[in-house]
């Protein structure tokens, strides 16, 4: 395929990804408003799961192709991208993120523990059924602590709202359509990213750690920019915490589906150290003044760039 055509496909897919995120953001906003629920809660449970469809697709394909290391690298890299790249970018572009009404300290600690758990269990280079069970349990322990979840699903199912012209099922269908479109455009963008990386002879390790994890998080990246413009940062932040938590769930489910296996490669200790330090800073920033300011966003982003530099030097 000519380079110019590939570039046009890349631009067209990026535009499609943007429009798809518009559909999701508007529907999630209407759901949270009409159901009288915090946007963070709606985006955590619904948007966080749907935006993880690219990671799920890559995981299933990696198991089919008997290369489970791909889903391990992608899911671990995706969580790092979310907390050390996209959330800091949201803080930088949006002049900070206010967290006071989104996650209290105890829920934030549970979220961090659930998100970091795959990095802890993978240190020995082996994923067992017990590890898979622990990861799934960590996710359900987290969501069991989130308020309003029962009211969210009850209202969606029973449609107990005052405005009869509003149909929550219809809004959920729009969210699903937007998520499917995001998945399609994301897959095209990942494929084109790999094409350009090979064209310019970029090492495969850089593609897997940087481009693949960034590629599968393109929906979150576009939603971040879109949320800043539309002043819906709470929706975006709920999506990121929910998506990172779903990565832990997918980690466990895919391990169950694949069976116990030894993870090849190294660098997991470095990932754990840098990511743990980043999450500690995230917790410190978000609990000291109940926000992450632009300066703190730059600090977290610098950690991601530092880790990326380490990976490049290791090649």
């Amino acid at each position: 395929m000519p380079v110019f055509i590939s570039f046009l496909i890349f631009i067209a897919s990026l535009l499609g990804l943007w429009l798809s995120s518009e559909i999701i953001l508007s529907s999630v906003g209407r759901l949270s408003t009409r159901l009288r629920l915090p946007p963070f809660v709606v985006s955590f449970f619904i948007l966080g799961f749907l935006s993880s469809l690219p990671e799920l697709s890559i995981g299933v394909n990696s198991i089919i192709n008997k290369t489970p290391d791909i889903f391990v690298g992608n899911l671990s890299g995706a969580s790092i991208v979310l907390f050390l790249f996209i959330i800091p970018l949201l803080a930088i572009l949006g002049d900070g993120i206010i967290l006071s009404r989104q996650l209290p300290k105890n829920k934030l600690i549970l979220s961090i523990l659930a998100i970091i758990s795959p990095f802890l269990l993978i240190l020995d280079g082996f994923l067992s059924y017990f590890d898979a069970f622990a990861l799934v349990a960590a996710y359900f322990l987290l969501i069991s602590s989130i308020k309003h979840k029962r009211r969210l699903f009850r209202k969606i199912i029973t449609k107990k709202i005052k405005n009869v012209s509003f149909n929550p099922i219809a809004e959920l269908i729009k969210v699903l359509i937007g998520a499917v479109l995001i998945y399609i455009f994301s897959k095209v963008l990942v494929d084109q990213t790999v094409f350009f990386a090979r064209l310019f002879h970029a090492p495969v390790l850089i593609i897997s750690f940087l481009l693949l994890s960034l590629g599968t998080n393109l929906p979150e990246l576009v939603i971040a920019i879109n949320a800043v413009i539309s002043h819906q940062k709470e929706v975006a932040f709920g999506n990121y915490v929910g998506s990172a938590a779903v990565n832990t769930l997918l980690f466990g489910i895919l391990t169950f589906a694949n069976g116990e296996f030894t993870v090849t490669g190294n660098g997991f200790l470095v990932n754990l150290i840098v990511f743990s330090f980043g999450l500690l800073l995230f917790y410190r920033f978000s609990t000291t003044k109940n926000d992450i300011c632009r300066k703190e966003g730059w600090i977290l982003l610098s950690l991601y760039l530092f880790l990326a530099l380490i990976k490049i030097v290791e090649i």
Side-chain angles (χ1 to χ4, degrees):
M1 182 183 298
V3 176
F4 179 70
I5 299 298
S6 296
F7 179 74
L8 289 180
I9 293 175
F10 185 90
I11 297 300
S13 298
L14 192 60
L15 178 61
L17 198 65
W18 179 281
L19 295 175
S20 302
S21 71
E22 284 273 8
I23 295 174
I24 290 180
L25 275 175
S26 60
S27 292
V28 170
R30 282 192 292 270
L31 276 171
S32 62
T33 300
R34 298 300 180 88
L35 299 180
R36 297 181 180 180
L37 291 169
F40 174 82
V41 175
V42 179
S43 59
F44 180 94
F45 285 105
I46 300 175
L47 194 54
F49 181 80
L50 293 177
S51 62
S52 293
L53 285 175
E55 284 85 357
L56 176 60
S57 175
I58 287 176
V60 171
N61 283 303
S62 69
I63 292 175
I64 293 174
N65 296 328
K66 298 182 179 180
T67 54
D69 288 349
I70 292 179
F71 84 71
V72 172
N74 183 46
L75 287 174
S76 58
S79 294
I80 291 174
V81 168
L82 282 169
F83 272 84
L84 299 186
F85 183 79
I86 297 182
I87 289 179
L89 190 65
L90 182 65
I92 293 168
L93 296 178
D95 195 21
I97 310 173
I98 305 298
L99 307 176
S100 57
R101 291 181 296 176
Q102 297 178 6
L103 276 182
K105 288 185 179 181
N106 59 334
K107 304 299 188 299
L108 185 57
I109 291 174
L110 278 177
S111 299
I112 290 175
L113 289 176
I115 292 165
I116 201 69
S117 56
F119 294 83
L120 296 171
L121 295 176
I122 205 175
L123 277 180
D124 61 357
F126 183 76
L127 283 173
S128 64
Y129 286 117
F130 175 80
D131 295 333
F133 174 79
L135 293 172
V136 173
Y139 175 79
F140 283 104
L141 178 63
L142 171 61
I143 66 171
S144 67
S145 68
I146 303 296
K147 294 180 179 179
H148 306 297
K149 59 182 179 301
R150 291 181 180 176
R151 187 153 58 99
L152 167 64
F153 297 116
R154 185 172 64 250
K155 283 192 174 184
I156 290 174
I157 294 173
T158 61
K159 303 181 186 180
K160 289 182 179 179
I161 50 178
K162 294 183 178 179
N163 189 344
V164 294
S165 64
F166 174 73
N167 188 343
I169 301 298
E171 296 301 328
L172 281 178
I173 292 175
K174 291 179 184 178
V175 170
L176 181 60
I177 291 173
V180 171
L181 290 175
I182 279 180
Y183 166 74
I184 294 172
F185 290 123
S186 293
K187 187 178 186 306
V188 174
L189 282 168
V190 170
D191 291 341
Q192 294 304 313
T193 300
V194 172
F195 169 79
F196 284 116
R198 290 177 177 173
L199 180 67
F200 294 105
H201 305 289
V204 175
L205 185 59
I206 295 180
I207 295 175
S208 61
F209 179 77
L210 298 178
L211 296 184
L212 188 59
S213 58
L214 280 173
T216 54
N217 276 299
L218 279 173
E220 287 87 349
L221 180 59
V222 173
I223 286 173
I225 299 172
N226 212 343
V228 170
I229 295 175
S230 59
H231 305 289
Q232 298 186 61
K233 290 183 289 183
E234 189 175 348
V235 171
F237 182 73
N239 170 35
Y240 303 148
V241 177
S243 182
V246 168
N247 287 344
T248 296
L249 175 65
L250 293 180
F251 220 116
I253 291 175
L254 292 172
T255 300
F256 269 125
N258 181 80
E260 298 181 332
F261 67 99
T262 299
V263 182
T264 59
N266 51 34
F268 295 112
L269 180 59
V270 174
N271 291 352
L272 174 63
I273 293 173
V274 176
F275 192 36
S276 297
F277 183 62
L279 289 176
L280 285 174
L281 286 178
F282 176 84
Y283 178 79
R284 174 70 175 175
F285 295 155
S286 60
T287 56
T288 302
K289 295 183 294 183
N290 295 321
D291 71 353
I292 297 178
C293 66
R294 180 173 289 170
K295 179 181 178 181
E296 292 164 344
W298 279 113
I299 293 174
L300 293 173
L301 182 60
S302 66
L303 280 178
Y304 176 79
L305 298 177
F306 173 70
L307 181 58
L309 180 60
I310 291 177
K311 294 300 178 182
I312 294 174
V313 172
E314 285 179 351
I315 298 174

